[in-house]
Amino acid sequence: MVHMQQQTTKQPVPAVRTPRVFRAGARRAARAKEDCRDGGGTGPIGTPGGFALLPWLLLGMGSISNVLKGETPDPWVGVVGLLAFNSLYVSLVFRAFDRGARESVATRWCLAALGLVTFALAAAYGGNWLLFFPLLGLATGAVLRGRPLGRVLFAVTATAAAVAGYHEGWDAVGVVYGTLVSGAVTAAILALSGTVRELRDTREELARAAVDQERLRFSRDLHDLLGHTLSVIVVKSEVARRIAPRDIDAALVQVRDIESVGRQALTEIREAVTGYREASLAAELDRARGALTAAGIESVVRQSGPPLPPQAAALLGWVVRECATNVIRHSGATTCEIEVRGSAERVRLVITDDGAGVASTLPGSGLTGLTERLAAAGGVLESGPAPGRGFRVTAELPVEPADGGEESR
């Protein structure tokens, strides 16, 4: 019965002002996207970078002082060690903030080389050179994630304890503690920063989804509203044109109906734009009966069962509107039956005509859009040829809305 033979002629579409709900959602999405692009956003926790870890190299100033004062045996070995350590450390802390570089094999080798250089310098010289272990722990916390971090950080801390204990005895507790804490705190801060970044990404996606959902709701409502209203206006205009030569009073009645339908359509479109419109099943049944009669189609409407909750009534109201519109426009039917049977658990709507037509398969419009709406509320909509001749649409819906179901507009 929903005979959806679509017109292929494209008419120019007038410019329509974007609804406020679209513009507000778009602004929210833009703000969320900007926050993510900035990295730090406006929240209390920003996204650190490699430069944030460079000042910790100042821990090595004591070693440089030893070399400059000549207090280090084989100073050229110390200088080469310092250059190697600093180069590896700088490379690692910048690689740590690029996921691809951080997870590469080269980064793992750099971390291993930094560990060997740290062990060699600390074991050979002791004293201020032991402070390279906390820097090694910091680089480890920046580069590694998950289980490997725990194992490697434990090994680094144990090595620091052994080497520092050999040189300093119990005075090495500070170095061991610094190594463990620097790695653990760095890893925790970066993990928290990653979580904040993911939350910002999620906020952006949610804002975009809200805009898309509102656009879909508006397009569905506009399709259903204008399709039915324009069909009624066309039918009544044809009736007025036919009877005007012989009965001007009857023609004026039809013209007044056209004016009333147009005013009602304006009200409904405003409500659809603001998102507060709910189709009333009783009102839609009355409108369908009147529109079918005006089109010369005999209508039979039967309704039984207890009163329906607003959501179920609104969804079925949309089905009645869409189906009545398509019977008038596409079916060529002479009769149309609409039956609503309700119980305490479920309600069933059956619309049958004696015409012929093809159901729409265009996503998001006509019966396809109604099928999606009912499915979201735990219902089902089926359409196809009726036994014998004609077309039938059957909609079944739970009286109580399903959890997470789409709210009817």
Side-chain angles (χ1 to χ4, degrees), residues 48-58 89 92-94 96-97 135 138-139 141-143 186 190:
F51 288 105
L53 302 182
L54 292 184
W56 294 102
L57 283 174
L58 294 175
Y89 178 87
L92 282 171
V93 296
F94 280 102
F97 296 95
L135 289 174
L138 191 151
V143 170
T186 301
L190 294 183

Side-chain angles (χ1 to χ4, degrees), residues 10 25 47 70 81 84 92 117 130-131 156 159 166 184 206 213 251 265 270 324 348 382:
K10 294 184 178 179
T47 302
L92 282 171
V117 171
L130 295 174
L131 294 178
V156 169
T159 303
Y166 173 76
L206 289 175
Q213 185 68 23
R270 292 190 190 101
R348 181 182 178 90
E382 299 176 350

Side-chain angles (χ1 to χ4, degrees), residues 312 315-316 319 339 341-343 345-350 370-371 373-382 393-399:
L315 285 172
L316 295 182
V319 176
E339 183 178 8
R341 296 196 302 268
S343 65
E345 292 79 20
R346 298 185 73 82
V347 59
R348 181 182 178 90
L349 169 66
V350 180
L370 290 173
T371 301
R373 289 190 181 193
L374 266 68
V380 62
L381 187 142
E382 299 176 350
V393 173
T394 302
E396 191 168 349
L397 194 66
V399 172

